[in-house]
Amino acid sequence: MQTLRASKCGLSTAQLPSYILDVIDALTKAGYEAYIVGGGVRDLILGLNPKDFDAVTNATPAQVKEVFGRRCRIIGRRFELAHVYAGRELVEVATFRAPPKKAVTSASGMILRDNNWGTIEQDFVRRDFSINAMYYQPRKGIVLDFCHAIDDIKNKTLRLLGDPTLRFEEDPVRMLRTLRFAAKLNFSIAPEILEIFTPELTQLLRDISPHRLYDESQKLFTMGHLNRVLPMLIDFGIWHQLFADISPDISTFIERAAINTDQRIQMGKTINPAFFYAVLLWKPFLERCEFYLSKGVVPAEARAQAGLDVLKRQAIRTIIPRFAETFIREVWEMQTRLLNPKPQQIQSLSTHARFRAGFDFLLLREKSGDDTTQGMGVWWDAYQQMSTDEKERAISQYNRQRAKSRRKATTDDVVETKPVAAITEIEPLVNEPEPRSRRERKSRTKSERPVQSTSSNGSEIGYDHPILKRKRVKRDLSQVIFGPTQ
Ligand code: ATP
Ligand code: MG
């Protein structure tokens, strides 16, 4: 073990927010050892902005609770931790851990319980990567480095502590962490990890709860280097473990969304991690819609059912929380609304809670070459920049065009005998196909029959009468009520 001077590592208390110093000071004052450890130390040394600060101490969670009282909550069963609330921030305070006892590991070697308290040396070997195992005591101005982690930082190398196979077996999530840190820090993965990191080994992730995998997927999405990690997920066979039904192929749409997410994070903008799930699952969703449509299900119902199916399938791997699921389905549903809005609804649509996300999604689709958006992404983009008068003009122009394309659709339908669905107004997201079920076809022919018979009887309502044509314009999509579909 070497003790490094914090200043030599580029660390100073001035970089630290007061809340983490308060936690360290309170524990020290109560007679315990306390250090900052993990990503906070690593990122500060690398000159990055740490996401959070984690503390570690020789006080047990119960003792930490005694020090902080109501500001502290003990959480976790497999991995018991103290959460200390310092102002508006939360600091995770872990207790030094000793190696787990044999009895608490699963048949595949996975650690099921890990609450065996120990010394700092024992705690160090329990950590994942060397660069995550530096202990910083800011008041003493020292960093304890047990494994020349500082050299790995200098050489930009991600090295697991101990035998890599064993460490992955103990906790397969470390495979995800390997890719996350390699992408985030732009570090190379040590050869001894690369050697054993096979797609077969990623099968171990099947033992991880879909809740934990969802949390990890969120960390991948929000670390600021999503675009870099996506191909790595495919290369290392992780993609398949996280997104079983999404083909391992980074489409332009997915890539653009990833770049966009990273840029937003870089600019300090908020992102909703569920948005990227909406992007990833878009293709499976459309395919599922097609499936229902081909069975003759009406479009609104097809979309609702497809959304449910796709999210249910994804939950086998990562359980997306209910609120995020609702968000995803609303973003998808917004696609239909934004693509084919009723003129009188345009204004209220633009102030809808899900408008922004739905619009971003639509624009991303359009910019990725998806021409089914029919230029409506750009239309909405321009609309938002307009003054009230301009908006009114844009809406009436849109209305005229809409009417024109409707008329054209009906005329063409008669003249060129094209199917109406191919040329009606702005195409809905999901095209309504010719009904395939016998019952649907029957009901359609029924509704057409009286008109045809009138016509054949030589009545005034002829074959090309406008009423006839209007009736054939598909309308049911405008009846779709926006909102979380059941
Ligand atoms: P981030 O920037 O994402 O917060 P981090 O390294 O701080 O990165 P955390 O998940 O906050 O990651 O964990 C804090 C520390 O706890 C890690 O640096 C590491 O030392 C240890 N740790 C976390 N998860 C594991 C794990 N699965 N196996 C071993 N050690 C872990
Ligand atoms: Mg952390």
Side-chain angles (χ1 to χ4, degrees), residues 411-426:
T411 319
D412 289 356
D413 182 34
V414 175
V415 176
E416 300 175 25
T417 58
K418 272 191 188 168
V420 173
I423 44 173
T424 42
E425 49 203 82
I426 295 158

Side-chain angles (χ1 to χ4, degrees), residues 27 45 109 138 162 169 191 232 262 310 333 355 403 453 477:
L27 286 166
I45 296 178
E169 280 169 3
M232 295 169 78
D262 292 343
V310 166
E333 192 57 34
F355 171 78
S453 61
L477 264 162

Side-chain angles (χ1 to χ4, degrees), residues 39-40 51-54:
K51 189 178 81 192
D52 51 32
F53 289 93
D54 305 295

